[in-house]
Amino acid sequence: MGNADGVLPGTEFGHRVPVPPSRPFLDTFRANLKETFFPDDPLRQFRNESGPRRVILGLKYFLPILDWAPSYSLSLFKSDLIAGATIASLAIPQGISYAKLANLPPIIGLYSSFVPPLVYAMMGSSRDLAVGTVAVASLLIGSMLADEVSPTQEPALYLHLAFTATFFAGLFQAALGLLRLGFIVDFLSHATIVGFMAGAATVVCLQQLKGMLGLEHFTTATDLVSVLKSVFTQVHQWRWESAVLGCCFLFFLLLTRFFSKRRPRFFWVSAAAPLTSVILGTLLVFLTHAENHGVQVIGYLKKGLNPPSATSLIFTAPYLTVALKTGVVTGIVALAEGIAVGRSFAMFKNYHIDGNKEMIAFGTMNIVGSLTSCYLTTGPFSRSAVNYNAGCKTAMSNVVMAAAVMITLLFLTPLFHYTPLVVLSAIIMAAMLGLVDYEAAIHLWHVDKVDFCVCLAAFLGVVFGSVEIGLVIAVSISILRVLLFVSRPRTTVLGKVPNSSAYRRVDQYPVAQTVPGVLILRIDAPIYFTNASYLRERISRWIEEENDSSKGETSLQYLILDMGAVGSIDTSGISMLDEVKKIIDRRSIKLVLANPGSEVMKKMNSSKILEAIGHEWVFLTVADAVAACNFMLHTCKPGATANDNGACEAVV
Amino acid sequence: MGNADGVLPGTEFGHRVPVPPSRPFLDTFRANLKETFFPDDPLRQFRNESGPRRVILGLKYFLPILDWAPSYSLSLFKSDLIAGATIASLAIPQGISYAKLANLPPIIGLYSSFVPPLVYAMMGSSRDLAVGTVAVASLLIGSMLADEVSPTQEPALYLHLAFTATFFAGLFQAALGLLRLGFIVDFLSHATIVGFMAGAATVVCLQQLKGMLGLEHFTTATDLVSVLKSVFTQVHQWRWESAVLGCCFLFFLLLTRFFSKRRPRFFWVSAAAPLTSVILGTLLVFLTHAENHGVQVIGYLKKGLNPPSATSLIFTAPYLTVALKTGVVTGIVALAEGIAVGRSFAMFKNYHIDGNKEMIAFGTMNIVGSLTSCYLTTGPFSRSAVNYNAGCKTAMSNVVMAAAVMITLLFLTPLFHYTPLVVLSAIIMAAMLGLVDYEAAIHLWHVDKVDFCVCLAAFLGVVFGSVEIGLVIAVSISILRVLLFVSRPRTTVLGKVPNSSAYRRVDQYPVAQTVPGVLILRIDAPIYFTNASYLRERISRWIEEENDSSKGETSLQYLILDMGAVGSIDTSGISMLDEVKKIIDRRSIKLVLANPGSEVMKKMNSSKILEAIGHEWVFLTVADAVAACNFMLHTCKPGATANDNGACEAVV
């Protein structure tokens, strides 16, 4: 009955569903491929363009700076200058602190705030992202590499491993972008990230107890238990001087943050606080010579710009594997944070960010970084937020920050000699406490319990296990949830909504009335091998229950399956339909389908089950199907309808 | 507007969707748990029953024999006797052959056809399943254990490992059943099994070249390449006598099978063929003393019933892990075949099989078996088919078979002394050739290309890699397909079907007409973290395309999302909706929802986004939504509608 040009044959029983014209396999294949890997259709802009124009467009695609640089104005630069200076004041202490977190020499942190921002300024498509190192990724690098190589015994090897890991991270990120596999990042759900961040923040804070209490020896493990043990086993080692100093600065930082939160106009107070406390701390130590009284200081920092590090990358066993593993894990974590941050600010300012393009930018940034003595960088939330508040207009603010860092590297490094480590610990702690987003967790609990479990699992996994364990647990729970949804789809009975032609779920609309003699079931998911046998069992159970309930009344004669929500079906699903038909045929119940999608129609047709059901028994809407069933119920003698497909129809 | 008792507020714009009354968390949780693990509601029969009655029902649940034994009649026994004798004639040679396949002594095969059938007869719920060893599982045991322990150098240890693996397999199967995790078996899709079986059959046939050509030394590897290499590197070792003998018997077996296929009445011809050829072969060798001319024979078989083997189970490192691994893998493979076979025959005879109950039966059968010198057994397709054709009525046929095997063990084992191995090889080959279901593969290609790829992957993986590799590849492809479906849901534009109130996909129904100024999008999958960001991008792209296309005409003012197919949503999905609203608000386009499910409504309500959209903009049907939009379009001045939710409505 269905015909290629899709004209619907109308009968007194309403419309039927046509079998879509079969398209050549390659076409459908290409279409699916495009939808999967090029959903944003990046080549659209290249269509009907001349050759040279296309080259320019291509360049602009990979180097967005070519887009905005020509129209860049002085007024724009003014705002970027202010923003850049502000984030620089944040970048320098943070860079040094996070490097410590990754067991790397402090200077590496400064290097990492110089080259990568320049690369991103050229390639990045976000106007608000401020590039720099992040605590979580630094911690991951620290914990994962320290398992293999001791940063204290073999500092050089450890450093080279860090560069190699950064290189692989960049390679991985760029590859994801080029292969259009951006959606892999989506598998880190919001819930996962919330729990993961909170856990990481807790762990990082615990790590800072080392600096705060001025302990020499400390565990490399990151989990709560072993950290607390290593803290309280050496109580006699605690240095009250550094503890007092640290607490003061922590209090100061939290106070400024609180103040700026209350008065957004004074965002710069909290933004400048870290640099201020560094300066204060340094002066204090310099004047009181506290370094001789148990306050550890940074010490000598080498002057000069990033030395090249291409030669120090290690591509040989046994270290290759750990570098690769660390690179991939930290790479994807950094990517997730960077892209999430970029997207959220892009949404505030209402411009579009291309995930895959961003990945290529991040990747290149880290590859170049790994060749110039930088370690893993991305777009930290804290720094980007400050950048945004400071009124940045373009990625130029990153260039300004880089310039400021360059000046520091060239002339000001000696000033950091007396900077006490405890201040850096305080800065990290303050930053971390901002990452524990308990409100989001509460929101998750209210809206979706499963997501809350995912979040909690990630948190506990990180705190009591390790950062990797937390990630793995959270991701696998999330995926399990998806699989479980697909393998246990909801099937619901539909009823007619009064004074409307719509048929809806009886459990959702108590007013909806079921039709005697007809059972209308709605299947709420694609029919796949994972749920085919479940659906078969469930449907036959529905029928049994219906028969039990409808004692005395008109016995069940029609089963209408509303396929509206069945987005897709595979061969197991097809044979499931076949089996269901066999099962209910024996009870002389007729199977009727309503509103199947084109893919379902196509497959039912090519697998011949459409003939078995009878094309005239596939209706456009549930209402049409019910109308047809009622007609048959009241014109045909019961039972007769089941075996001969709509014979009565012909008789009438 | 939504109220607890679900009465729909009707306005001139049709019905709205009420917010379902919030149920206590524990209730929903319990409901979901029940739907996930007890979809068949096994406790239904226990309701409103007295205490002792319940005990009996419980016993009947675990021992179905109590159900049918009391009403067992002589006439039933007659049919079961015939069927049992027939499958026994098949079981004895097959048992010996498959034991060879698992590198186990032939007698173990006979043992395995004695105890397990008795256990299954009591606990199994299938009337047609014939219990016994299967080729694929035997091969798996052989290949997996041989990697650790050489069956030729340490036969005793190897044998004990096999028992231990069987024990773990049984334990795993029973555990799956008791924990109601039956659905794990569903993850082996039909396509996977087809490809897997074909691959295994090919591999098994290749293995038989050893027996056929009478080779002493042979590779333990199962992949095509190394088998062919080991065959053609020792061409000079080939023994033409056994080769000729083997080919003759193979031809004979295939001929009988062909004959029985043509004339189903003579099914017994092919059923009796294996035993016949064993007898013929044995006589031939006995008379010609061919064993001295390069035809290997079984040799001495110990008389007597199964010796206990409880003491020989190995629970100590280093062998524990391999036994465990082998047990789990083979256990699930055996389970998949057994349950699939049971289900298909149950469907023919229209009775119900409880997957979880079957698992418990299989598990107990294998645990008991492992304690009585049996190795892994399940319900082989070939034997069950013969049982079915022979007209079995109950599981009693298994008891008859067991009795026949017992008699063989007690008195007839010496007769097998001269049975040539080559005949057994021929029997296996013949059986395997029946497992290559190329028609099913062709069907897969016609109906679903992805399933065909899964099938092919499983086949190639088994043939060129190993049985495990094939399984892993196939399962992961299948799961990847599900994840891909969920992370790339279809979004389609809807239009009005002429002379019908239904709105359907424009690409499926070319006659459907879109509404100017209104874009109706249908989302075809649950909205999860995996697809949230994709959907956001895709929807904004739809809007852009719509704006590009509708040049000059009325500009886009309403976006209607048909949520009918959105079975479920998580927090990422909720925030996606929020972001979409923000994005289109800036273009002063109004977001309208149609037909969201109760779960979606609940979560939108608790996450406050429902207020943001405006409850009055959530409609029961797309038609209602369009009606409202049209009303606003033609009474309000454009743009005014977007910001104030239905203010005009009040004005009118």
Side-chain angles (χ1 to χ4, degrees), chain A residues 544-566:
Chain A
E544 280 163 22
E545 287 173 354
E546 178 71 12
N547 278 336
D548 298 352
S549 65
S550 70
K551 292 247 181 301
E553 303 162 24
T554 47
S555 70
L556 188 58
Q557 288 204 31
Y558 290 94
L559 171 65
I560 302 179
L561 288 183
D562 177 1
M563 310 282 283
V566 178

Side-chain angles (χ1 to χ4, degrees), chain A residues 448-579:
Chain A
D448 188 329
K449 305 285 186 280
V450 181
D451 271 355
F452 179 77
C453 296
V454 170
C455 171
L456 197 67
F459 176 78
L460 295 178
V462 173
V463 170
F464 290 101
S466 77
V467 181
E468 304 94 302
I469 292 178
L471 260 185
V472 171
I473 295 177
V475 171
S476 37
I477 293 182
S478 318
I479 290 181
L480 208 72
R481 182 236 190 108
V482 174
L483 287 181
L484 207 61
F485 170 83
V486 179
S487 54
R488 285 287 182 268
R490 208 189 303 103
T491 55
T492 43
V493 176
L494 300 188
K496 186 175 187 312
V497 176
N499 50 57
S500 152
S501 69
Y503 283 76
R504 292 288 182 262
R505 294 168 46 184
V506 176
D507 59 348
Q508 185 180 2
Y509 302 94
V511 289
Q513 292 138 355
T514 56
V515 186
V518 181
L519 175 62
I520 312 171
L521 282 182
R522 172 183 179 80
I523 301 172
D524 251 354
I527 304 177
Y528 275 144
F529 63 95
T530 49
N531 58 25
S533 56
Y534 163 76
L535 279 175
R536 191 186 53 235
E537 304 295 329
R538 196 67 185 81
I539 290 175
S540 32
R541 201 179 124 209
W542 273 119
I543 294 172
E544 280 163 22
E545 287 173 354
E546 178 71 12
N547 278 336
D548 298 352
S549 65
S550 70
K551 292 247 181 301
E553 303 162 24
T554 47
S555 70
L556 188 58
Q557 288 204 31
Y558 290 94
L559 171 65
I560 302 179
L561 288 183
D562 177 1
M563 310 282 283
V566 178
S568 163
I569 193 166
D570 72 352
T571 46
S572 313
I574 291 288
S575 47
M576 185 280 279
L577 283 180
D578 197 17
E579 291 164 10

Side-chain angles (χ1 to χ4, degrees), chain A residues 273-601:
Chain A
L275 192 60
T276 324
S277 36
V278 167
I279 296 171
L280 287 178
T282 317
L283 281 176
L284 201 68
V285 174
F286 181 71
L287 300 176
T288 63
H289 281 285
E291 74 271 21
N292 311 333
H293 307 83
V295 175
Q296 300 164 333
V297 295
I298 290 180
Y300 172 69
L301 280 185
K302 193 161 119 296
K303 259 191 188 180
L305 296 181
N306 304 21
S309 60
T311 54
S312 55
L313 296 185
I314 306 172
F315 296 120
T316 55
Y319 302 116
L320 184 62
T321 50
V322 62
L324 195 64
K325 185 162 151 269
T326 315
V328 169
V329 173
T330 54
I332 200 156
V333 171
L335 211 51
E337 178 165 7
I339 287 185
V341 169
R343 275 205 177 128
S344 36
F345 285 111
M347 220 169 56
F348 287 138
K349 289 196 181 174
N350 187 24
Y351 62 88
H352 178 74
I353 278 207
D354 177 344
N356 290 305
K357 202 193 283 187
E358 280 293 280
M359 290 186 188
I360 299 173
F362 281 126
T364 327
M365 166 173 104
N366 280 317
I367 292 173
V368 175
S370 69
L371 304 177
T372 56
S373 322
C374 306
Y375 80 102
L376 191 63
T377 51
T378 177
F381 180 74
S382 54
R383 202 178 294 188
S384 306
V386 171
N387 194 22
Y388 175 82
N389 283 328
C392 63
K393 290 275 176 289
T394 67
M396 183 57 77
S397 57
N398 278 307
V399 179
V400 175
M401 173 179 75
V405 173
M406 182 181 71
I407 295 166
T408 316
L409 283 168
L410 287 175
F411 312 109
L412 310 181
T413 47
L415 300 183
F416 291 103
H417 185 288
Y418 288 101
T419 308
L421 298 185
V422 62
V423 172
L424 302 183
S425 303
I427 291 172
I428 297 180
M429 274 189 150
M432 287 304 106
L433 292 179
L435 285 183
V436 183
D437 190 354
Y438 55 89
E439 284 154 347
I442 295 169
H443 178 74
L444 287 177
W445 169 259
H446 283 313
V447 177
D448 188 329
K449 305 285 186 280
V450 181
D451 271 355
F452 179 77
C453 296
V454 170
C455 171
L456 197 67
F459 176 78
L460 295 178
V462 173
V463 170
F464 290 101
S466 77
V467 181
E468 304 94 302
I469 292 178
L471 260 185
V472 171
I473 295 177
V475 171
S476 37
I477 293 182
S478 318
I479 290 181
L480 208 72
R481 182 236 190 108
V482 174
L483 287 181
L484 207 61
F485 170 83
V486 179
S487 54
R488 285 287 182 268
R490 208 189 303 103
T491 55
T492 43
V493 176
L494 300 188
K496 186 175 187 312
V497 176
N499 50 57
S500 152
S501 69
Y503 283 76
R504 292 288 182 262
R505 294 168 46 184
V506 176
D507 59 348
Q508 185 180 2
Y509 302 94
V511 289
Q513 292 138 355
T514 56
V515 186
V518 181
L519 175 62
I520 312 171
L521 282 182
R522 172 183 179 80
I523 301 172
D524 251 354
I527 304 177
Y528 275 144
F529 63 95
T530 49
N531 58 25
S533 56
Y534 163 76
L535 279 175
R536 191 186 53 235
E537 304 295 329
R538 196 67 185 81
I539 290 175
S540 32
R541 201 179 124 209
W542 273 119
I543 294 172
E544 280 163 22
E545 287 173 354
E546 178 71 12
N547 278 336
D548 298 352
S549 65
S550 70
K551 292 247 181 301
E553 303 162 24
T554 47
S555 70
L556 188 58
Q557 288 204 31
Y558 290 94
L559 171 65
I560 302 179
L561 288 183
D562 177 1
M563 310 282 283
V566 178
S568 163
I569 193 166
D570 72 352
T571 46
S572 313
I574 291 288
S575 47
M576 185 280 279
L577 283 180
D578 197 17
E579 291 164 10
V580 167
K581 185 170 186 331
K582 287 207 187 93
I583 292 171
I584 66 172
D585 273 356
R586 280 199 216 79
R587 299 157 159 269
S588 72
I589 298 173
K590 178 96 190 73
L591 180 63
V592 183
L593 297 185
N595 186 23
S598 54
E599 195 195 343
V600 177
M601 278 306 278

Side-chain angles (χ1 to χ4, degrees), chain B residues 225-239:
Chain B
V225 180
S226 44
V227 168
L228 287 187
K229 195 188 287 158
S230 103
V231 166
F232 286 102
T233 45
Q234 37 187 342
V235 176
H236 52 285
Q237 301 271 5
W238 291 7
R239 311 302 294 266

